[in-house]
Amino acid sequence: MTATLIITNAAVHTMDEARPRAEAIAISGNRISRLGSHAEVMLEAGPGTRVVDAGGGSVIPGFVEGHMHLFAGAAELSHLNLFGARGFDELKARTEDYLRANPGDDLVIGGQADYVIIGENEPLTRHHLDRIVKDRPILLYSPDHHTAWANTIALERAGILKGRKLGPGNEIVMGPDGLALGELREGQAIDPVSALTSKGKRERLGLVTGGEPDPYPSKAEFEADLETMKTGLAHAARHGITFIQNMDGNIYTLELLEELHRRGELSARVKVPFHFKNFMDLPMLEKASKMAARYQSDMLSSGFVKLFMDGVTDSGTAVMVDDYADRAGWKGEPLFEPERFAEIAIEADRRGLQIAVHAIGDGAVRIVLDGYEAALRANGRRDSRHRVEHVEVIHPDDIPRFAELGVIASVQPPHPPGNHGLPLEPYLSRIGEARWPLAFAWKALRDAGARLVFGTDWPVSDIDPLWSLQSAMTRGKWNGTVPDNRQSLDQALRSYTEDGAYVGFMEGKTGVLKEGLLADICVLPVDLEKTDPAAYKGITPRMTICDGRVVFGA
């Protein structure tokens, strides 16, 4: 078959151990038809073949983004961005610039506000925000999105200035005067303020409730949501991403993507879960089974359930085995009791569904592994590929259990303190120095036989996989007792390609450049093996190809 596209003069990193390198690659339709030397691959050329000179740059499998939030991330591209802001004056200046560019009275939403944005010894409160804007509600999210800060008018309009009783793991931080300080921890505390927006917040339903929009969007609203989704997909394509494993979802998210696919505008493969919340009962898993049955193509699929077991370390909502180092008697509260999670895991596994659980603290990781072990005992061993998302702190006894249970560690290179511009505090003080060697313990997990999958958790972190590779390969040590967790280029690329395809049940189809496989390819302007990893950030792919179609680049 004559090739539709040939890329030559390339450093092709196939990730195929049987044939790790090539000089050129040919695509016919949506498949890779030839790999080899320039002369070998050019035999596939015909009169209509497009030939691209890669200029010696790396050609790799398209990136598999193992953990992100597509719809919400796309919506946040238009929000106030406070990444890197330090001190009140910079917070004020950036916010006022945004207000001038976005006048009106709707809720102002900002992101990437560090826990120490004002200073390490001065927490952000509503009083700081009131000094910037008093007559318009404002809500600023931390990078992890598990904490937010609101001004007084926002708290008043949301009806939570005087506090409110919330479920486990959620908190409205109160001041000595009996009024909220402005810091809101976890969804039940944040949602009343986020609901003040006039824009409907459909992009967060798959994360906040797992439910569907009610009433169903009008035709105009549906088209607007399609445009938002297209913006997110284009952002992913610009960064070489061809397979997205979304970590929130509902049927509406799938319907939007299905319509884009019908129109020929779905520029990445997407896998969307059913989000099981702690207020749901076991029969709700039938919805997950229906989503799995309805969506199972190579471009758009479901088939897995997402849950949250805990919050995050910085706010003290992650669940630990032992007390927090800076808060005696506090280990955090799990969002699911261990016995209840085990029941959910057994039933989801019985239905043949994959399970992915957010677990930050070592206590949460243990609860999840115990639940997976309970499912294995109840249902027998199967090719489940259950996942633990984040695994930021792990107890040494639980490290070998990943390989023993066949569980995937889904980790994010941008997240360790000190990486990606993140501050060291309050994280390191919260977990305490004794736990530092067991935080983001990628080497220990690999050495014990675990399979690691990489992602960014966008919009929690920048979506750029090249920056993520840089963080994985150049990660620093917090002290002399912390193991060297830097990843090799091969390890990092494999976690971003082949292993990502495996956890998405797409091995043998994508994640590797091999004749006969789907043509998901990223063409880079540099040879990664000849480039200092510290310079990876900001490298923009020359071309992104998904399913044989050029979705970014000329």
Side-chain angles (χ1 to χ4, degrees):
M1 182 184 295
T2 301
T4 50
L5 175 65
I6 288 175
I7 303 165
T8 189
N9 188 24
V12 183
H13 306 268
T14 68
M15 309 313 297
D16 178 11
E17 293 181 357
R19 189 178 197 173
R21 295 289 184 272
E23 181 186 11
I25 184 170
I27 299 168
S28 297
N30 71 338
R31 302 255 170 199
I32 298 167
S33 57
R34 194 75 178 266
L35 279 161
S37 68
H38 171 80
E40 290 170 334
V41 172
M42 288 304 293
L43 294 174
E44 303 285 309
T49 301
R50 180 185 177 190
V51 179
V52 173
D53 185 335
S58 289
V59 172
I60 60 176
F63 286 108
V64 180
E65 168 55 73
H67 185 124
M68 66 175 275
H69 303 275
L70 176 60
F71 198 7
E76 288 190 22
L77 289 171
S78 62
H79 290 179
L80 166 63
N81 189 340
L82 294 167
F83 179 78
R86 293 289 183 273
F88 178 79
D89 290 343
E90 187 173 0
L91 170 62
K92 183 173 186 288
R94 287 210 207 174
T95 304
E96 289 178 342
D97 286 346
Y98 183 86
L99 292 171
R100 280 190 289 271
N102 298 271
D105 57 6
D106 193 25
L107 175 70
V108 176
I109 303 176
Q112 299 296 322
D114 279 336
Y115 286 87
V116 291
I117 191 168
I118 302 299
E120 288 193 8
N121 299 311
E122 184 179 358
L124 178 62
T125 70
R126 63 183 170 92
H127 303 296
H128 293 104
L129 297 178
D130 288 347
R131 288 164 56 192
I132 300 171
V133 54
K134 293 187 67 173
D135 56 356
R136 185 175 177 184
I138 186 169
L139 180 69
L140 304 182
Y141 282 93
S142 63
D144 55 44
H145 288 62
H146 287 257
T147 300
W149 297 267
N151 63 354
T152 301
I153 191 173
L155 296 167
E156 287 175 335
R157 290 185 180 178
I160 59 172
L161 182 61
K162 296 181 180 179
R164 179 181 295 179
K165 183 175 176 57
L166 304 175
N170 298 264
E171 182 182 4
I172 299 168
V173 179
M174 304 300 291
D177 59 356
L179 298 178
L181 282 170
E183 181 175 338
L184 308 169
R185 297 175 178 173
E186 300 300 329
Q188 289 181 28
I190 299 168
D191 294 346
V193 178
S194 68
L196 297 175
T197 181
S198 63
K199 296 177 182 176
K201 304 300 289 181
R202 289 183 298 276
E203 71 275 3
R204 287 185 61 81
L205 276 177
L207 183 64
V208 175
T209 70
E212 307 304 324
D214 184 17
Y216 196 81
S218 66
K219 186 176 187 300
E221 289 171 332
F222 188 83
E223 289 294 330
D225 288 345
L226 286 176
E227 288 301 315
T228 299
M229 197 70 85
K230 283 168 63 177
T231 298
L233 287 164
H235 192 60
R238 269 196 303 275
H239 290 89
I241 295 166
T242 57
F243 184 7
I244 293 166
Q245 291 164 11
N246 212 50
M247 282 296 144
D248 64 88
N250 52 10
I251 292 173
Y252 184 63
T253 300
L254 285 158
E255 288 174 341
L256 289 168
L257 294 166
E258 183 179 37
E259 177 59 20
L260 291 177
H261 188 30
R262 188 188 69 79
R263 297 182 185 186
E265 297 176 328
L266 184 59
S267 55
R269 306 180 193 282
V270 189
K271 195 173 182 69
V272 176
F274 169 64
H275 188 176
F276 192 99
K277 302 286 287 187
N278 61 358
F279 54 78
M280 295 177 178
D281 296 324
L282 278 181
M284 281 298 294
L285 287 171
E286 179 61 22
K287 181 177 179 180
S289 293
K290 289 179 178 178
M291 290 166 67
R294 179 176 168 185
Y295 297 98
Q296 49 181 311
S297 75
D298 288 342
M299 287 300 297
L300 183 59
S301 62
S302 184
F304 77 112
V305 179
K306 170 71 185 301
L307 304 92
F308 280 77
M309 183 54 66
D310 65 349
V312 293
T313 302
D314 298 82
S315 65
T317 54
V319 174
M320 301 293 179
V321 171
D322 298 311
D323 290 354
Y324 276 77
D326 63 348
R327 190 174 173 184
W330 178 249
K331 297 179 175 65
E333 295 179 297
L335 298 177
F336 293 87
E337 289 301 322
E339 296 79 11
R340 180 159 184 250
F341 174 71
E343 291 175 357
I344 296 165
I346 289 168
E347 176 59 14
D349 183 78
R350 184 191 68 78
R351 290 171 173 267
L353 297 165
Q354 186 184 32
I355 309 168
V357 186
H358 167 116
I360 295 279
D362 54 2
V365 172
R366 176 167 291 175
I367 292 170
V368 175
L369 291 174
D370 287 349
Y372 291 163
E373 187 170 348
L376 188 152
R377 287 197 304 268
N379 303 324
R381 186 175 290 274
R382 70 178 185 88
D383 188 15
S384 57
R385 307 186 197 182
H386 298 321
R387 315 162 48 131
V388 183
E389 307 300 314
H390 309 306
V391 199
E392 291 192 1
V393 182
I394 188 166
H395 191 281
D397 292 350
D398 293 320
I399 290 172
R401 297 179 71 194
F402 277 80
E404 291 166 2
L405 297 171
V407 173
I408 312 297
S410 172
V411 301
Q412 295 71 44
H415 286 186
N419 274 15
H420 261 58
L422 291 178
L424 298 178
E425 298 295 347
Y427 197 103
L428 295 184
S429 294
R430 289 270 153 88
I431 64 172
E433 196 165 351
R435 277 185 284 227
W436 291 3
L438 297 164
F440 305 90
W442 306 333
K443 182 179 187 302
L445 285 164
R446 281 200 194 276
D447 288 349
R451 192 186 296 255
L452 271 61
V453 174
F454 283 174
T456 61
D457 202 5
W458 184 70
V460 169
S461 300
D462 193 290
I463 201 172
D464 182 4
L466 274 299
W467 192 7
S468 192
L469 288 178
Q470 174 177 317
S471 288
M473 296 172 67
T474 63
R475 178 180 160 188
K477 296 171 63 173
W478 303 311
N479 67 13
T481 67
V482 175
D484 185 353
N485 280 288
R486 288 178 298 176
Q487 307 287 287
S488 69
L489 176 59
D490 183 76
Q491 286 175 324
L493 276 178
R494 206 165 291 280
S495 288
Y496 244 127
T497 55
E498 182 185 22
D499 288 337
Y502 173 84
V503 75
F505 291 90
M506 285 289 285
E507 80 280 8
K509 294 183 178 182
T510 189
V512 173
L513 301 181
K514 187 175 182 179
E515 292 172 5
L517 270 59
L518 295 167
D520 295 347
I521 300 168
C522 176
V523 181
L524 296 169
V526 300
D527 184 341
L528 292 178
E529 289 187 314
K530 297 178 180 177
T531 304
D532 184 352
Y536 283 3
K537 177 187 175 183
I539 294 173
T540 301
R542 286 185 55 190
M543 182 179 288
T544 304
I545 301 164
C546 179
D547 207 44
R549 183 166 65 96
V550 176
V551 294
F552 173 74

